[in-house]
């Protein structure tokens, strides 16, 4: 008898890493215009001049990171071949939840020589961190491009984006040059910057639109050729994944995830080929997962109210009025050993929020001749998904 894993064979995947998030494609498809805009923003670097600042906007999964990496790698290769170009350094930083101090501190630590001690976390100011940053830039010379991903999550973006572009004009650096590349999902980011920052930045703006199904199909094809073995997928499965993602988010990440998940499902079922059905199953699994996450993000009592509506839905007693929902909610809360909220108003507020968030359907009914109207609620999802998540969270709490 073989071991537990001895029957596992790799038939579908040729190189599964190609479908991983970190994988850098050798070829960027369907982004010629954006790449060209990027290119013209950085031509000055080839002649030892100041780089432009660039802001990239676009929704999740539309290639901002992939295109940036590609363009900067190409730029680096080219600067190495040219005499007029200074040495190019690229510093990448994700700003999620950062303060200006911690962002600059991380940049400094990336620049310090290996033997130096790291820049301290505490005790020094923003100005100290910036001073050290400029000192390191001067030590190295050359052109420095600072990529600030999720820049809209930087707590004091105004200050940093005011300081860095003016470093040379203020003589903080003289031999080094600096350019900023900001990446954001939030198109209104610029409006939140103060007028003087907007003026200092003078950035080029590149906006990335979402992909349509045809573009996604082209991207998926090149991925599939590398990731999957030749006979293991059909064009129609690829087209299906592209169509689903194209309709839903227009994100290449979603399309690639669907393909990977579909291939995994085919493999689990011992099937030699990824078919449309597998992509459909992948789509459902992903949707379920997303819903589960969304439920988990709700507060305790919002979840209990949702569970109450799911219970009523399960026994065919929806649409229901808030009073009926409150009764069930009380039972649900006790069963979960939680103290229920006592006012009808608080339940109505939760119902209204859950409706806004897309968990519930709501209709307005009239109360006969006396006038006045009331709301009825119905569940707008599979009740089992709600039960699964609530049970799971309850169990986690008990541990
Ligand atoms: N034009 C493209 N050609 C090939 N692969 C692409 C293209 N656009 C995106 N991808 C791939 O899709 C995935 C998501 O792209 P990427 O990480 O660049 O998105 P993003 O815009 O940076 O998203 P986020 O805002 O979430 O950071 C990556 O695996 C990337 O390699
Ligand atoms: Mg990105």
């Amino acid at each position: 008898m073989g071991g537990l894993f001895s029957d596992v064979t790799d038939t579908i995947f040729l190189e599964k890493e190609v479908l991983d998030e970190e994988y850098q494609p050798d070829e960027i498809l369907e982004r010629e215009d954006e790449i060209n805009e990027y290119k013209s923003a950085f031509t000055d670097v080839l002649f030892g001049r100041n780089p432009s600042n660039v802001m990239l906007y676009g929704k999740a999964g539309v290639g901002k990171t992939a295109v940036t990496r590609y363009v900067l790698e190409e730029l680096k290769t080219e600067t190495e071949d040219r005499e007029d170009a200074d040495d190019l350094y690229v510093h990448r930083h994700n700003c999620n939840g950062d303060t200006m101090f911690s962002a600059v501190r991380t940049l400094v630590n990336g620049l310090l020589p290996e033997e130096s001690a790291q820049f301290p976390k505490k005790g020094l100011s923003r100005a100290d961190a910036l001073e050290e940053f400029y000192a390191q830039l001067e030590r190295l010379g050359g052109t420095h491009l600072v990529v600030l991903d999720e820049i809209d999550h930087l707590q004091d973006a105004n200050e940093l984006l005011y300081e860095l572009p003016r470093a040379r004009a203020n003589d903080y650096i003289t031999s080094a040059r600096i350019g900023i590349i900001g990446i954001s999902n939030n198109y209104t980011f610029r409006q939140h910057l103060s007028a003087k920052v907007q003026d200092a930045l003078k950035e080029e703006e590149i906006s990335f639109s979402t992909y349509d199904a045809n573009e996604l199909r082209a991207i998926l094809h090149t991925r599939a050729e590398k990731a999957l073995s030749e006979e293991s997928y059909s064009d129609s499965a690829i087209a299906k994944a592209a169509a689903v993602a194209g309709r839903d988010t227009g994100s290449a990440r979603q399309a690639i995830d669907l393909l990977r998940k579909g291939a995994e499902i085919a493999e689990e079922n011992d099937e030699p080929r990824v078919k449309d059905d597998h992509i459909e199953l992948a789509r459902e699994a992903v949707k379920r997962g997303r819903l589960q996450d969304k439920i988990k993000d709700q507060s305790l009592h919002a979840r209990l109210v949702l569970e109450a509506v799911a219970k009523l839905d399960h026994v065919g007693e929806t649409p229901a009025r808030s009073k009926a929902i409150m009764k069930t909610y009380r039972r649900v809360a006790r069963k979960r050993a939680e103290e229920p909220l006592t006012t009808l108003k608080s339940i109505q507020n939760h119902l209204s929020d859950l409706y806004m968030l897309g968990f519930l359907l709501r209709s307005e009914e009239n109360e006969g001749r006396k006038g006045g109207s009331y709301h009825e609620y119905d569940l707008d999802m599979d009740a089992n998904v709600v039960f699964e998540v609530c049970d799971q969270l309850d169990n986690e709490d008990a541990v």
Side-chain angles (χ1 to χ4, degrees), residues 18-32 35 56-69 94 149-150 183-185 208 211 215-216 218-220 222-223 250-257:
V18 172
L19 302 177
D20 283 350
E21 174 72 31
E22 314 80 57
Y23 176 78
Q24 173 66 12
D26 348 298
E27 209 187 340
I28 303 284
L29 299 149
E30 311 288 349
R31 281 294 183 224
E32 289 80 10
I35 291 174
L56 299 193
Y57 294 102
K59 293 200 174 141
V62 296
K64 300 181 299 298
T65 300
V67 168
T68 299
R69 220 183 285 169
N94 189 304
D149 212 334
E150 303 197 49
I183 304 183
S184 170
N185 293 139
F208 283 58
Y211 293 112
E215 293 166 330
L216 290 173
I219 292 171
L220 278 186
T222 36
R223 283 293 166 104
S251 144
R253 181 179 300 118
Q254 185 189 20
I256 294 168
D257 284 349

Side-chain angles (χ1 to χ4, degrees), residues 74-104:
E74 290 287 307
L75 182 64
K76 184 147 176 64
T77 314
E78 190 66 29
T79 53
E80 281 160 9
D81 292 345
R82 292 204 185 211
E83 275 193 13
D84 287 347
D86 296 328
D87 289 343
L88 181 72
Y89 299 85
V90 175
H91 315 286
R92 296 193 173 79
H93 183 66
N94 189 304
C95 303
N96 202 351
D98 261 1
T99 58
M100 170 170 164
F101 176 77
S102 63
V104 178

Side-chain angles (χ1 to χ4, degrees), residues 298-308 325 329-330 332-334 337-342 346-347 349-351 354 390:
Q298 302 309 309
S299 67
L300 171 69
H301 288 282
R303 273 199 322 264
L304 294 171
V305 172
L306 181 64
E307 194 181 353
I325 296 169
Y329 155 81
R330 284 215 182 101
V332 170
R334 294 218 180 81
E338 301 292 347
E339 193 57 39
L341 301 172
T342 50
S346 56
I347 304 304
N349 288 341
H350 278 304
L351 284 168
L354 289 166
C390 293

Side-chain angles (χ1 to χ4, degrees), residues 228-373:
L228 306 177
S229 53
E230 208 178 324
E231 294 296 312
S232 72
Y233 62 96
S234 63
D235 286 348
S236 94
I238 302 262
K240 165 112 189 168
V244 170
R247 235 181 356 244
D248 190 13
T249 56
S251 144
R253 181 179 300 118
Q254 185 189 20
I256 294 168
D257 284 349
L258 278 172
L259 181 64
R260 189 190 45 239
K261 188 119 201 105
E264 283 169 358
I265 293 172
E267 192 170 56
E268 278 159 27
N269 292 316
D270 284 332
E271 291 193 40
R273 229 169 129 81
V274 192
K275 293 196 285 246
D276 290 29
D277 297 353
H278 300 126
I279 303 294
E280 180 57 30
L281 288 170
R283 186 182 74 85
E284 281 162 21
V286 171
K287 196 169 150 203
R288 226 176 156 80
R290 241 196 261 162
L291 264 181
Q292 288 174 337
D293 289 345
K294 216 169 124 186
I295 299 173
K296 283 181 193 164
D297 286 344
Q298 302 309 309
S299 67
L300 171 69
H301 288 282
R303 273 199 322 264
L304 294 171
V305 172
L306 181 64
E307 194 181 353
V309 182
K311 281 236 146 59
L312 290 168
D313 178 78
H314 197 58
V315 294
E317 287 177 22
T318 46
R321 293 181 66 165
S322 51
K323 256 191 196 153
I325 296 169
M326 183 162 183
K327 250 168 102 181
T328 310
Y329 155 81
R330 284 215 182 101
R331 278 214 319 279
V332 170
R334 294 218 180 81
K335 198 190 91 198
R336 301 247 180 240
E338 301 292 347
E339 193 57 39
L341 301 172
T342 50
T343 62
L344 184 61
K345 188 75 203 137
S346 56
I347 304 304
Q348 283 166 340
N349 288 341
H350 278 304
L351 284 168
S352 173
D353 289 347
L354 289 166
Y355 159 68
M356 300 284 197
L357 290 165
F359 292 107
L360 304 180
L361 296 170
R362 182 165 89 178
S363 55
E364 193 163 334
E365 305 293 327
N366 288 316
E367 213 149 18
R369 243 192 286 152
K370 267 192 259 145
S373 62

Side-chain angles (χ1 to χ4, degrees), residues 47 81 103 136 210 333:
F47 307 101
D81 292 345
Q136 291 305 320
T210 51

